[in-house]
Amino acid sequence: MKVTWKLPDGSEISADVAEGLSMMEAAVAQNVPGVVGECGGNLSCATCHVQVAEPWAARVGGPDDFEDAMLDTVEAARGPGSRLSCQIRASADLDGLVLIVPEA
Ligand code: FES
């Protein structure tokens, strides 16, 4: 599936991501600035915060209660499409996904 990260400076990084990989793992592999993934995807750092762009937010779905609480700790402003990208897995139905990397 193809994923595009939109960066705060207006630039974009796009990549083909293998199914099953998390969006945090994919971002780290592509050196996407601002997505760190400090905890390795264990839902304990929130350094993988992104905002899912419309119209993808509904398809990706919202956070569960625990992730929701973690999102309240993020440094960057939380938006309606905010998710921890370690919790979003690449799948064919998300092909074309656009993720916005918030300003740190
Ligand atoms: S990588 Fe730590 S919460 Fe996602």
Side-chain angles (χ1 to χ4, degrees):
M1 65 169 284
K2 189 178 174 197
V3 183
T4 299
W5 290 268
K6 291 189 174 214
L7 305 180
D9 67 1
S11 63
E12 296 183 354
I13 296 173
S14 292
D16 283 314
V17 177
E19 284 205 27
L21 212 62
S22 79
M23 289 303 123
M24 175 278 283
E25 292 167 318
V28 169
Q30 297 298 324
N31 294 314
V32 174
V35 180
V36 178
E38 209 167 85
C39 76
N42 289 320
L43 256 190
S44 57
C45 71
T47 61
C48 62
H49 173 220
V50 296
Q51 291 170 3
V52 181
E54 292 297 347
W56 297 101
R59 201 176 299 183
V60 170
D64 64 18
D65 288 349
F66 188 80
E67 184 185 334
D68 190 59
M70 286 293 296
L71 280 165
D72 282 338
T73 72
V74 296
E75 276 175 49
R78 186 177 170 173
S82 280
R83 291 293 311 269
L84 296 178
S85 59
C86 64
Q87 302 304 304
I88 304 171
R89 297 260 160 210
S91 63
D93 61 330
L94 294 181
D95 186 38
L97 181 66
V98 178
L99 300 173
I100 299 163
V101 180
E103 198 119 29

